Amino acid sequence: MDGVRGRLTVTLVALVVVTAVVLGVGSYLFVDASLRQRFLEDREAQARFDLTEVIPARLSPDPTQSELDAVLEILRRRGGETVVDLGDGRPPPFLQQIGPALRQLAPGTLAYEWTSIAGVPRLVVGGRLADGPTFYFLHDASEVERALGTLRAALLAGAVVLAVLALIAARRVARGVLAPVDTAARAAERIERGDLSVRVPVTSRDEFGAWAEAFNRMAASLQETIGRLEVAQAQNRRFVSDVSHELRTPLTALVAEASILRDHLDALPPDARRTGELLVGDVARLRVLVDELMELSRFDAAAERLAVELVDLARLVQAIAASRAPNAIVRAPQTSVFVETEPRRLERILGNLLDNAREHAPGAPVEIRVRAEPGSAIVEVLDGGPGVPADRIDRIFDRFYKADPSRRGGSSGLGLAIAAEHAAILGGEIAAANRPRGGLRVALRLPVTALLPAGDDAATDTSQRMAANPPLRELQP
Amino acid sequence: MDGSILLVEDDPSIREVTAIGLRNAGFDVTTASDGVDGLERFRAAPFDLLLLDVMLPRLDGLELCRAVRRTSTVPIVMLTARGDTIDVVVGLEAGADDYVKKPFEVPELVARVRAALRRSKRGETEDDRLRLGDLAVDVAGRTVERGGEEIPLTRTEFDLLVELARRPGQVMTRAVLLDRVWGYDYLGDSRLVDVAIQRLRAKVERDPANPQVLLTVRGAGYKAVR
């Protein structure tokens, strides 16, 4: 039992049990004392009567054995057991079982002792006649012990029942007291999951009630703020999307026009020719920018569909490198590294990483490494450029981030942001780090969900995968 | 003259520069600025190829494509604003043979147009009958039958089926299929092949989700069952 509820329960139960034990022990001691007292008083009165009336009437001052036997016979008939110590130096063996106070009684006095003889609880009352023998009356005290035993059992049972009842009650009370906390925890969990409409009921006017009201005010304020932000963000995204779409029509005309102009640059007069060349180049740059903006606005609209298939990562990377960066060195393991991914996106990611490497380390060798780790496959692009200052390395995946703002390259500053978005859609991630000896290392980590053996079985499996490809199947009539 | 093309495009600049580019390449180009105008011009005179924008006023390019397909097998190339898979699928469904994504460079467009024209002219002399699983393919008659029942296919789907059926058991990469069926090698865009295979399977496979005739070979391409 952990937590506040457990501690509360334990405390309540402990309180009840301690109270029950104190009361039980107290009442037991009281009953014990009074039972013994009454038993003793009765027996003492009888002994006194025997010693003053019954025995002296039948014994001469110097009693004979037959007189003693007669007296003992009378006492035995009435019940109980009586032992006589004549004080003649031959004490009966019984005396060894009782205390000295009772063994050497002053003449004319009475004493008693609770003891146990041969496993039977006994009350021994002893009385000595004036200058005569000492009589010991042995009484069976079993009934007292039995009564006390019953009482002990009853008290113990009562205590157990009380403890169980206390436990049940305590749990119920603890739950009741802590219910608002549970409600609050559940509400907070729902908010964490993004359900900002959650409110907790205000059921009392105590501290919990006040807390619930404060919680609800906070949730309402959060909901409103997030709602406003979402609207603003949606407007922003729609604007980017609209702008990209609106740019597309004139861009299409521009690209077509530039492609014709390019074929006729030689026919232009020299001063117009250079302008024409710049125009053709800038149209290409604009095309890249609009394409990338469109791509990003598709990410933002969460309109991306994923069409994964099983691919041999090393082979695919080699093919992409061959077409995008023929000079790059590719290091891949001998064994195949299979990942379930979308080759088109992977090509886009890797292409952007290679473009980035080429741009920031012009002319320097680029290396691509493929390796497998448990649960993931990693493609690294390493360049020999200057790297990125440590304080800015996390920002290179931001949109429009340029490591060197003064550089006027063909890059839009969107390439790495796009690569990171694609990687996230593939369930992977991209991270960048400076290499110890200079240069930048950008690593794409992809999840490996299934490792299938190569061969015909695998091929059959893949064909089923392809056929069950949701993005394509949904569209079939 | 390499052939006559009907270009239907609503944006005046795109229409004009495209027409200039195609004329420079030797084609005879007729233009229309909306779908209804385009359909009227198509009905008024025969063309060797139609180049249709998807988004058109009055009658959109897909509707126009379907209307043309009801009466003609003329090659149709769509100009799509988005290169998304969905546009490719919708275009192929409407009966288009190929698509060119905007923005495009004129030489690329010309190459695609030439490829589509070449494709429409070939194959008429072939006299093969092929068997593929339980399918009977009449190459000359351009029909596919299963148990005497004809399965209607578009031109592209039929060409793709014949290409695979001619080499049963042999793996054909997407690049090879693009080259042989569509007549060009467009690096990196294998969606056209994938979508066309999916559509073809939907027609010729008994259970398209579990293909028995047109098989995928992981990491390589497709093959017809031997």
Side-chain angles (χ1 to χ4, degrees):
Chain A
M1 288 227 272
D2 284 338
V4 174
R5 184 182 302 167
R7 288 202 295 277
L8 204 55
T9 308
V10 167
T11 308
L12 285 173
V13 170
L15 213 60
V16 169
V17 168
V18 166
T19 309
V21 166
V22 168
L23 283 177
V25 169
S27 54
Y28 175 80
L29 291 177
F30 175 75
V31 171
D32 177 276
S34 60
L35 271 182
R36 287 179 199 278
Q37 185 61 34
R38 189 175 312 149
F39 191 81
L40 175 66
E41 275 171 7
D42 288 354
R43 305 303 181 269
E44 213 176 27
Q46 197 185 347
R48 206 176 293 281
F49 177 73
D50 287 344
L51 288 170
T52 52
E53 305 292 333
V54 179
I55 301 167
R58 286 169 176 76
L59 290 185
S60 54
D62 189 12
T64 61
Q65 186 61 43
S66 61
E67 281 174 349
L68 270 178
D69 287 345
V71 166
L72 288 175
E73 180 59 27
I74 289 169
L75 292 174
R76 181 162 44 248
R77 266 191 221 153
R78 208 183 46 212
E81 197 181 331
T82 309
V83 176
V84 186
D85 177 11
L86 292 174
D88 53 2
R90 289 185 289 130
F94 156 76
L95 286 194
Q96 285 166 4
Q97 299 184 37
I98 55 174
L102 204 52
R103 251 182 320 213
Q104 284 141 23
L105 280 171
T109 58
L110 211 62
Y112 69 91
E113 185 180 313
W114 294 95
T115 183
S116 173
I117 296 163
V120 181
R122 302 248 182 200
L123 174 64
V124 180
V125 181
R128 185 168 173 194
L129 297 173
D131 283 333
T134 307
F135 285 80
Y136 296 96
F137 305 101
L138 278 65
H139 299 284
D140 186 346
S142 297
E143 71 178 277
V144 175
E145 291 299 332
R146 258 201 307 281
L148 287 174
T150 309
L151 180 63
R152 271 199 304 274
L155 284 175
L156 195 63
V160 169
V161 168
L162 210 58
V164 170
L165 287 178
L167 181 66
I168 294 168
R171 289 183 70 111
R172 197 160 283 185
V173 167
R175 196 176 308 142
V177 168
L178 293 174
V181 179
D182 282 347
T183 312
R186 276 197 297 277
E189 273 168 19
R190 280 174 61 190
I191 286 188
E192 189 189 346
R193 284 197 299 269
D195 177 7
L196 294 174
S197 66
V198 65
R199 298 290 180 271
V200 294
V202 183
T203 49
S204 57
R205 298 217 147 271
D206 56 11
E207 290 85 341
F208 277 124
W211 179 89
E213 276 171 7
F215 182 94
N216 287 347
R217 277 198 304 278
M218 178 207 73
S221 159
L222 200 60
Q223 186 174 25
E224 196 196 322
T225 307
I226 297 219
R228 267 206 311 272
L229 285 175
E230 277 175 349
V231 167
Q233 198 180 21
Q235 283 171 345
N236 191 20
R237 284 171 176 172
R238 204 172 313 126
F239 178 73
V240 172
S241 171
D242 289 349
V243 166
S244 325
H245 274 110
E246 288 304 315
L247 286 175
R248 181 142 285 227
T249 301
L251 179 70
T252 300
L254 276 175
V255 168
E257 287 150 14
S259 72
I260 294 178
L261 185 62
R262 192 179 50 209
D263 289 345
H264 296 90
L265 282 176
D266 291 345
L268 292 177
D271 43 351
R273 185 186 308 154
R274 180 61 192 142
T275 313
E277 283 167 6
L278 288 173
L279 185 71
V280 169
D282 286 337
V283 166
R285 209 146 61 93
L286 184 63
R287 178 182 185 174
V288 170
L289 179 61
V290 172
D291 270 349
E292 292 183 341
L293 279 176
M294 294 277 291
E295 205 170 349
L296 282 172
S297 74
R298 274 202 302 275
F299 291 132
D300 292 345
E304 290 290 308
R305 286 157 169 274
L306 192 59
V308 296
E309 57 186 276
L310 203 61
V311 297
D312 182 341
L313 190 60
R315 253 174 69 179
L316 185 62
V317 166
Q318 264 151 356
I320 294 170
S323 70
R324 302 287 292 256
N327 294 329
I329 305 155
V330 181
R331 291 187 203 284
Q334 289 297 309
T335 53
S336 297
V337 181
F338 284 108
V339 286
E340 245 182 304
T341 193
E342 188 172 7
R344 227 160 39 85
R345 281 186 207 281
L346 194 61
E347 176 167 5
R348 188 87 177 101
I349 295 169
L350 198 54
N352 284 8
L353 298 188
L354 290 170
D355 287 348
N356 183 67
R358 188 166 48 233
E359 198 164 313
H360 291 99
V366 174
E367 189 180 326
I368 306 170
R369 288 185 195 156
V370 181
R371 60 193 166 86
E373 279 185 6
S376 53
I378 295 160
V379 183
E380 288 174 323
V381 175
L382 304 102
D383 69 40
V388 177
D391 58 330
R392 277 185 280 169
I393 199 155
D394 290 336
R395 291 185 47 213
I396 65 171
F397 297 106
D398 291 354
R399 294 175 184 187
F400 292 115
Y401 177 80
K402 291 186 181 179
D404 182 359
S406 65
R407 194 190 299 251
R408 187 189 169 282
S411 153
S412 61
L414 293 172
L416 288 180
I418 288 172
E421 296 268 9
H422 278 301
I425 288 172
L426 292 179
E429 57 183 10
I430 296 187
N434 284 310
R435 300 170 71 186
R437 290 184 202 165
L440 191 67
R441 187 193 64 186
V442 186
L444 164 69
R445 179 182 292 269
L446 290 172
V448 175
T449 48
L451 268 177
L452 293 179
D456 282 327
D457 291 350
T460 309
D461 186 64
T462 314
S463 71
Q464 282 163 357
R465 266 170 217 282
M466 285 286 294
N469 214 336
L472 296 177
R473 252 183 81 177
E474 273 171 23
L475 297 165
Q476 287 176 357
Chain B
M1 212 56 76
D2 281 356
S4 59
I5 294 174
L6 174 61
L7 166 66
V8 189
E9 162 65 57
D10 60 325
D11 184 79
S13 285
I14 298 176
R15 187 170 65 236
E16 193 176 345
V17 70
T18 308
I20 290 172
L22 291 169
R23 282 185 192 121
N24 286 352
F27 294 105
D28 179 12
V29 182
T30 304
T31 60
S33 58
D34 66 59
V36 174
D37 187 20
L39 192 56
E40 281 167 3
R41 282 176 195 278
F42 168 74
R43 284 177 178 155
F47 292 95
D48 295 325
L49 183 140
L50 268 54
L51 197 52
L52 308 179
D53 185 22
V54 173
M55 303 278 275
L56 286 174
R58 301 223 281 171
L59 180 68
D60 79 33
L62 297 171
E63 286 299 325
L64 176 54
C65 183
R66 283 187 200 105
V68 168
R69 268 290 168 264
R70 278 196 276 276
T71 59
S72 166
T73 58
V74 64
I76 300 177
V77 176
M78 304 297 296
L79 298 174
T80 68
R82 300 179 303 160
D84 296 355
T85 308
I86 181 149
D87 275 12
V88 180
V89 174
V90 171
L92 291 181
E93 256 174 29
D97 296 279
D98 198 358
Y99 74 102
V100 173
K101 188 177 145 189
K102 287 179 174 179
F104 53 83
E105 298 198 347
V106 170
E108 178 199 347
L109 177 72
V110 168
R112 303 280 280 266
V113 164
R114 287 220 166 99
L117 282 170
R118 251 197 325 272
R119 215 144 48 86
S120 73
K121 290 193 177 106
R122 78 174 179 204
E124 276 134 25
T125 56
E126 293 176 283
D127 188 25
D128 284 344
R129 284 175 186 280
L130 303 170
R131 284 213 69 86
L132 182 62
D134 53 357
L135 299 172
V137 184
D138 176 1
V139 179
R142 298 190 74 79
T143 58
V144 180
E145 290 180 354
R146 168 182 280 137
E149 199 170 322
E150 187 177 338
I151 300 170
L153 296 181
T154 67
R155 173 196 299 275
T156 303
E157 286 160 0
F158 186 82
D159 289 347
L160 183 57
L161 184 68
V162 169
E163 205 55 59
L164 287 160
R166 282 193 192 288
R167 294 163 192 81
Q170 183 183 327
V171 180
M172 310 276 279
T173 66
R174 291 177 177 82
V176 165
L177 288 171
L178 268 175
D179 182 38
R180 296 224 173 119
V181 177
W182 281 269
Y184 59 87
D185 182 19
Y186 187 39
L187 258 181
D189 193 356
S190 56
R191 277 169 303 167
L192 193 58
V193 179
D194 294 336
V195 171
I197 289 275
Q198 297 288 335
R199 293 196 41 74
L200 184 54
R201 277 177 181 160
K203 293 183 180 178
V204 304
E205 295 281 358
R206 288 184 188 274
D207 175 12
N210 187 20
Q212 301 296 322
V213 179
L214 304 174
L215 309 176
T216 303
V217 182
R218 175 186 37 137
Y222 298 96
K223 69 178 178 184
V225 69
R226 199 186 294 272

